[in-house]
Amino acid sequence: MISLLDYGAGNVRSLRNAIHALGFRLTEIERPEDILKAERLIFPGVGAFGAAMERLRGLGYVEPLKEYLAAGRPYLGICIGLQALFEGSDESPGVAGLGLIPGRIRRFEAPGLSIPHMGWNDARVERESPLFADYAGEKLYFVHSYRAEPNPENADWCLATTDYGAPFLSAVQKGRVGAVQFHPEKSGAAGLRLLRHFLAGEEGGAPVAGWASRAEPTRFAKRIIACLDVRANDAGDLVVTKGDQYDVREAGEVRNLGKPVELAQRYYEEGADEITFLNITGFRDFPLSDQPMLEVLQRTSEQVFVPLTIGGGIRAFTDGDSRHYSALDVANAYFRAGADKISIGSDAVEAVEAYLARGGAKDGSTAIERIAEVYGNQAVVISIDPRRVYVDSAEATRHPVVETVTPGPNGEPYCWFQCTIKGGREGRDVDVVELARACEDLGAGEILLNSIDRDGTGAGFDLELVRSVRAAVGIPVIASSGAGCLEHFSEVFAATGVEAALAAGIFHRREVPIQAVKSYLREQGIEIRT
Ligand code: 1PR
């Protein structure tokens, strides 16, 4: 029997779903004494090191967990479940880890690389282990800003390393105690195979001559993300729709491009590296009353084992009974339903307006800060809905301008990128650079950069927009809006250096299969997850 140590933060539903899909059953650790009764223990940790360790201490789990581990009993830690084995982490100074492995967890120092290390990388298996018995170098999904460095003190624990600026420990094992920095439940088939080896009790078996480790560096892949804009149609059914410059209606009807769960499953099977749902009328409906959206997430997370992002309506609400819900309450519901990341659009613009009015001072009140504090920076994506504002000269506006390749409608040679709220319905006096920088300062972990001008046009990504934001922040940026052919993907990666490209229309309309995009990028020498 496998026991799951779920301390209540982060998306553990996907791990449960993966274990269920592999045909195994779980028991829950509900009290400290359950830990020493466990035959096999899985500890999935998402979010901040300190929050995880404080929760474990508060639940009285630390001492029995140390005793369980000291006895060398079967354990698989995931992400924070690996980091907790160390003495402590720079992410949470003063908070002790379990201290099983000597040394501390340190923040990435990866000059020129975005932090968090969020996406697909492979593992260099340093010694044989049943956990990696049939691993053949496939990409695995990582999402972390801190890592354990391999050194002589932890050499007897080192099972696999991965490169991101410098090598870090991507898997550790000693006897039957093992842990991985990546998320096997989010790493597609390769991750599910590793999980199965542990669930089947094979981790302690004889070393199996697996895939030979190789000396060359591991390679971080660019991500291809499928996006499903979702809303109720006039009949009240939740459908996948698609805007043309954010206008989702065709002949008066909401465009209906399919059922959300079915399309998400199709894109997962076609090789999408992530799936993003955007509840595009979330700004006006109360998402927690929007059970269909939560059900879409729940059903999708039962069969899609790559990261799921959900956006739309994540902000404070007061419902019809005058009951107040914070943005964190809304995000909690989405995480519990199976989301790995949430994306905030309109509320981020309003939060940044207040932040700028305070001269850039943080007061801990924003949804970004509060959700990142509990779930970690990597769980908070900012969805930006910008549109071009053309001007005759740089002096015509306080905002940073770009000299555009294509002049404006009246021949204006410059433009700035204005942020909007409510799905582009309302422009605000905030530009994309100040919004992105402010959100990074507030603790966001990633930028989803849409473009109202390019949305649905198939004219290609707005490279001038993407370059502006890519240059402004140190967190990953997803280019979105406008993909119309294979070349648009290689163009945006080559011209801007973004970590991911998102598309909707060309996938929904079956114009370009995801695998065709990936094959083309591989031919262009761009690293992708096969
Ligand atoms: O403001 O926090 O409630 O979030 C609302 C979310 O819904 C935001 O992420 C916003 O981008 C999105 N949204 C709101 N209205 C629309 C609309 O279309 N009317 N979707 C909308 C905007 C952007 C992408 C799109 C890409 C790729 N869609 O999701 O899929 O642009 O398009 P393409 O490849 O077809 O060109 P909040």
Side-chain angles (χ1 to χ4, degrees), residues 245-305:
Q245 295 181 297
Y246 285 45
D247 176 2
V248 298
R249 288 190 179 270
E250 196 166 40
E253 295 290 318
V254 172
R255 254 184 220 105
N256 180 347
L257 299 173
K259 293 183 169 43
V261 176
E262 288 169 13
L263 264 180
Q265 174 70 18
R266 182 183 118 204
Y267 293 143
Y268 168 61
E269 287 163 0
E270 285 185 4
D273 296 319
E274 285 185 34
I275 304 284
T276 295
F277 289 110
L278 295 179
N279 183 354
I280 66 173
T281 53
F283 69 90
R284 63 176 177 226
D285 310 328
F286 176 40
L288 297 195
S289 63
D290 187 355
Q291 287 310 320
M293 194 66 232
L294 295 174
E295 283 158 18
V296 161
L297 259 183
Q298 285 160 3
R299 286 176 48 212
T300 300
S301 69
E302 288 165 5
Q303 50 200 350
V304 170
F305 300 108

Side-chain angles (χ1 to χ4, degrees), residues 3 31 43 80 144 225 255 335 405 469:
S3 298
R31 57 189 73 79
F43 173 31
I80 291 287
H144 56 122
I225 301 173
R255 254 184 220 105
F335 284 120
V405 170
V469 173

